[in-house]
Amino acid sequence: MKRVIVVILFFVLQHTVSAQKKINLKNIAVSSELGILNGKSQVNIQMLATAGIQKKKYAIGLGSGFDYYGYRSIPFFIEGKRFLGEGNRKIFLYLRSGVNISWVLSEQQRLLYTSTGKEYSTFRNGLYADAGIGYTLYNSKGRGIFVGLGFCKKNLSENYNDYLWNGSSSTLTNHDVKYNFNNIQLRIGYKF
Amino acid sequence: MKNIFYIPFALLILFLGCTKDTVKERYSYFAPIYKTKAEVRANVKSLAPVQLQQPGKLFIKDKFAFLSEVNKGIHVIDFSDPQNPKNISFIDIPGCLDMAVRGNYLYADCYTDLITMDISDPKNIVMKQFLEGVFPHRLYVNGFVADTTRVITEWVKRDTLIESAFEKKTRWDMRVLYASASSTQTNGGSSNIPVTNGIGGSMARFGLMVDRLYTISTYSMKVFNTVDASKPSYVKTVPFSQGNIETIFPYKNKLFIGSQTGMFIYDATDPDNPLKLGTFSHARVCDPVVADDKYAYVTLRSNSTCAGFQNQLDVVDIGSLMSPILLKSYQLKEPAGLTKDGNTLLICDAKDGLKIFNAANPIDIKQLKNINGFEPYDVIAMNGLAIVVAKDGLYFINYTDPVNATILSKIIIQKS
């Protein structure tokens, strides 16, 4: 999966560099943002960076970062934006969709002591989706702060073994767990 | 194209109230199937033989071997022709782990109860008595508390899907449920028990001495009066000063109790009031024990169940019963059950197979033969015939000439 990400990032950068010749530099949109994720089980943070192209009232790009809500993961997504209004201060709607790459902390993995040693649970990737509304506070050069409010959904799966009593002895039994995390995001970012 | 970007708005409004984190866990578990006690009692009789699947304790009486099927019942095996042993019947006893034979009566546990069966005709075994509630410790199994009004006859595997809310946790150390030794292990053997009683072994939890039946649990020993062998009666419970008790080996008027931290010697001259004489302590391991007039032979085994780091045979001088002394240790692979017939000592040594020793001189025990290619964990030996429970079957081995001991036959264990 990491190789796929590297390849995709390479193509994006290549496309961005080659596009500079055709597209005005003002059309390149690179931003970073920090989000507070508020769900029923916890409050946590997310850090993202996106890069893409903005043309007229639309923008499209790729983004990634760190998401600590529930289990730590790396969302990797395609982003689309629709700007409403004119000028440097305007409302925009955004939509993100992609994969949620599991990168759990070791302390978040279940641990089973077996006769042969320790056995940690394994995690599988899931999906990532994020949508909401934002407001730009850009300067005359089209750079500056933006804020947003949205809904984020991510999921991933865990697989682990556990000993269960079968009436005469303890036997290893496999468990498959699907986690579905939903939260409201309040984000602040900066467009370079 | 314009409208597509209004969809996030709709989604946002739709999901704003839905910030619940959900967990869906899919797994299998085992659920007990109950029968009434009347139904269970009606079924305690000789039934058609069934294949061995998870053998437990072994007891020998004359030419019949009684081999428990863990928590399910007892196989009756006719080995009058050791080269062609026959699995002749099966007694359906839910919750059966341990047994003993006195005269024509077989005693077995049925979870919390003690069952007495008439085995004068091993092909037509009849239940004689059901002594209820004498093993209360069997109510609890790895945290599961059974319904006391009924009897668990089997456990069935069920798939389930549990939905719950996510709770933030750090390290989720899972339950560590090691299979208890009592549920998976079996006996070793001895050949010096009076003929009126059957022959049990070094890892048994039921032991017979003349007309008393002694049963052990982790923390206590129970005494049953078997003067009337058809109607054993509960006498008393003798608490142990410590837990982790595993085995009992009666020899003459002494009881050798094996625990994970040592061997205790009890004097049963007053059979209803066993009195602790001495202790031989060792590191925390499993330790089946057999004994003769002068020495006790203790195998120390370390594994995931037993913990510890020792795998050896300890020969203990019991000349002074109050203060037994370690005479010598012999390194082994992972020894389990053992038995002694005269000067011949047989030890089940896991993947190393069955080892036969000349123990005429306890400080210079010499290996005579190693029969490998199987993984034995329990053995009873008598008059040149060893009956060995291994992971893949019940073996009959001729050791009349120990140096040339050979496997005569085998009853295969069916893998589930």
Side-chain angles (χ1 to χ4, degrees):
Chain A
M1 193 65 202
K2 285 176 183 171
R3 286 183 182 175
V4 174
I5 296 166
V6 170
V7 170
I8 293 170
L9 282 172
F10 175 77
F11 277 109
V12 170
L13 286 171
Q14 190 186 41
H15 177 78
T16 306
V17 171
S18 62
Q20 286 180 14
K21 295 174 184 175
K22 303 172 190 173
I23 304 167
N24 190 319
L25 277 176
K26 278 187 177 178
N27 292 336
I28 306 295
V30 177
S31 63
S32 62
E33 58 192 77
L34 176 69
I36 303 292
L37 314 179
N38 200 329
K40 281 208 171 148
S41 66
Q42 60 186 275
V43 176
N44 224 310
I45 62 164
Q46 182 190 63
M47 292 170 285
L48 297 176
T50 57
I53 302 160
Q54 183 178 337
K55 199 164 186 182
K56 295 182 180 175
K57 291 185 174 181
Y58 293 96
I60 188 164
L62 290 174
S64 188
F66 305 108
D67 186 326
Y68 288 89
Y69 192 88
Y71 291 111
R72 185 179 67 176
S73 63
I74 301 174
F76 184 73
F77 52 84
I78 297 173
E79 177 192 64
K81 278 182 183 169
R82 165 77 162 103
F83 294 93
L84 306 172
E86 302 291 336
N88 293 321
R89 300 196 174 193
K90 55 196 170 192
I91 292 171
F92 65 90
L93 306 177
Y94 66 91
L95 179 64
R96 293 164 170 171
S97 181
V99 292
N100 184 46
I101 301 162
S102 67
W103 189 37
V104 298
L105 300 164
S106 63
E107 71 207 37
Q108 292 175 326
Q109 288 176 283
R110 294 174 198 245
L111 172 60
L112 177 69
Y113 293 98
T114 68
S115 56
T116 53
K118 292 179 180 178
E119 185 180 301
Y120 288 94
S121 61
T122 57
F123 281 80
R124 296 192 305 275
N125 302 335
L127 297 174
Y128 178 86
D130 173 8
I133 185 169
Y135 187 70
T136 64
L137 297 162
Y138 295 160
N139 60 21
S140 57
K141 293 179 180 175
R143 295 174 184 171
I145 293 169
F146 62 89
V147 292
L149 177 70
F151 178 80
C152 177
K153 191 176 184 71
K154 75 170 186 178
N155 56 49
L156 45 80
S157 307
E158 183 183 17
N159 194 275
Y160 71 93
N161 288 322
D162 188 11
Y163 282 112
L164 283 182
W165 183 251
N166 70 0
S168 57
S169 61
S170 294
T171 55
L172 271 183
T173 307
N174 186 261
H175 294 239
D176 196 64
V177 193
K178 294 189 190 313
Y179 298 99
N180 198 358
F181 299 111
N182 305 297
N183 53 66
I184 302 289
Q185 297 180 326
L186 181 62
R187 61 180 71 249
I188 184 165
Y190 189 86
K191 184 192 168 195
F192 299 97
Chain B
M1 187 66 185
K2 282 182 180 177
N3 292 334
I4 198 169
F5 275 98
Y6 292 102
I7 292 172
F9 269 128
L11 289 173
L12 188 61
I13 292 163
L14 191 65
F15 289 116
L16 262 176
C18 179
T19 54
K20 187 179 174 184
D21 303 317
T22 60
V23 181
K24 288 182 182 176
E25 182 163 5
R26 193 179 295 276
Y27 65 97
S28 299
Y29 70 99
F30 294 88
I33 302 295
Y34 288 95
K35 274 187 184 174
T36 64
K37 290 195 172 183
E39 287 172 319
V40 169
R41 289 178 197 190
N43 217 32
V44 177
K45 57 188 178 188
S46 297
L47 302 172
V50 297
Q51 282 205 284
L52 278 58
Q53 288 188 319
Q54 194 184 358
K57 309 279 166 103
L58 180 65
F59 225 90
I60 303 295
K61 173 66 176 167
D62 301 330
K63 293 295 179 185
F64 293 95
F66 297 88
L67 178 64
S68 70
E69 183 73 33
V70 173
N71 276 334
K72 290 185 176 173
I74 297 172
H75 301 279
V76 183
I77 294 158
D78 178 354
F79 63 95
S80 46
D81 177 5
Q83 291 186 317
N84 186 27
K86 289 176 183 155
N87 186 358
I88 59 170
S89 65
F90 181 73
I91 315 167
D92 183 6
I93 309 173
C96 177
L97 292 178
D98 293 272
M99 76 190 114
V101 179
R102 173 165 167 73
N104 288 326
Y105 295 95
L106 169 64
Y107 308 122
D109 55 348
C110 173
Y111 290 112
T112 59
D113 308 330
L114 178 69
I115 298 181
T116 303
M117 290 156 278
D118 183 345
I119 55 167
S120 33
D121 178 1
K123 290 182 181 173
N124 185 26
I125 289 168
V126 180
M127 196 197 78
K128 299 298 287 185
Q129 190 192 50
F130 211 85
L131 209 54
E132 287 194 38
V134 289
F135 304 122
H137 63 280
R138 292 292 309 282
L139 265 178
Y140 312 99
V141 183
N142 275 27
F144 177 83
V145 183
D147 179 347
T148 55
T149 61
R150 297 177 295 165
V151 178
I152 298 170
T153 55
E154 62 178 320
W155 292 69
V156 293
K157 191 175 184 180
R158 288 181 179 155
D159 297 326
T160 187
L161 177 67
I162 304 291
E163 287 193 47
S164 59
F166 178 78
E167 290 177 29
K168 190 181 181 188
K169 292 175 180 174
T170 53
R171 164 68 68 223
W172 288 1
D173 276 7
M174 293 167 55
R175 291 168 296 142
V176 182
L177 302 176
Y178 295 119
S180 68
S182 62
S183 63
T184 56
Q185 307 290 348
T186 57
N187 304 353
S190 161
S191 58
N192 291 316
I193 293 175
V195 290
T196 51
N197 292 332
I199 301 171
S202 65
M203 289 166 71
R205 284 176 171 256
F206 278 21
L208 283 159
M209 180 182 284
V210 193
D211 50 16
R212 292 293 184 279
L213 169 67
Y214 299 94
T215 69
I216 55 160
S217 62
T218 308
Y219 293 98
S220 65
M221 172 165 56
K222 290 183 191 301
V223 185
F224 294 89
N225 185 322
T226 58
V227 171
D228 180 352
S230 66
K231 291 178 185 170
S233 57
Y234 169 76
V235 177
K236 68 185 297 186
T237 298
V238 180
F240 292 124
S241 55
Q242 67 171 82
N244 294 322
I245 303 299
E246 297 182 318
T247 61
I248 181 169
F249 183 85
Y251 181 75
K252 293 192 174 172
N253 62 342
K254 303 290 181 295
L255 299 171
F256 293 84
I257 311 286
S259 82
Q260 288 190 0
T261 54
M263 174 192 73
F264 309 106
I265 304 171
Y266 278 73
D267 178 28
T269 307
D270 176 358
D272 291 337
N273 296 292
L275 188 67
K276 186 177 170 185
L277 295 177
T279 304
F280 167 66
S281 299
H282 55 65
R284 188 171 184 271
V285 284
C286 293
D287 76 331
V289 54
V290 295
D292 57 24
D293 289 330
K294 295 180 179 175
Y295 306 101
Y297 301 83
V298 185
T299 53
L300 307 185
R301 181 174 84 261
S302 61
N303 58 25
S304 60
T305 306
C306 307
F309 300 98
Q310 291 174 310
N311 285 291
Q312 64 194 44
L313 167 70
D314 279 357
V315 182
V316 180
D317 184 343
I318 52 172
S320 168
L321 293 166
M322 305 293 277
S323 52
I325 302 164
L326 174 65
L327 205 61
K328 189 169 180 180
S329 295
Y330 298 86
Q331 289 305 306
L332 291 165
K333 179 90 171 178
E334 197 179 305
L338 73 164
T339 183
K340 191 163 177 283
D341 181 13
N343 288 329
T344 308
L345 181 67
L346 298 90
I347 299 177
C348 298
D349 200 10
K351 290 178 181 172
D352 270 9
L354 181 73
K355 291 176 178 171
I356 303 174
F357 299 89
N358 179 349
N361 182 357
I363 58 167
D364 187 24
I365 291 177
K366 288 187 167 62
Q367 184 173 312
L368 300 173
K369 176 82 174 178
N370 182 8
I371 304 173
N372 47 32
F374 67 127
E375 208 171 323
Y377 54 88
D378 183 13
V379 57
I380 290 180
M382 50 175 192
N383 306 323
L385 179 68
I387 302 177
V388 184
V389 187
K391 282 194 171 177
D392 63 335
L394 184 68
Y395 287 75
F396 294 83
I397 295 172
N398 180 351
Y399 68 94
T400 313
D401 175 10
V403 178
N404 297 304
T406 52
I407 295 172
L408 296 173
S409 58
K410 172 187 173 186
I411 295 176
I412 294 169
I413 292 171
Q414 183 188 42
K415 295 295 173 192
S416 53

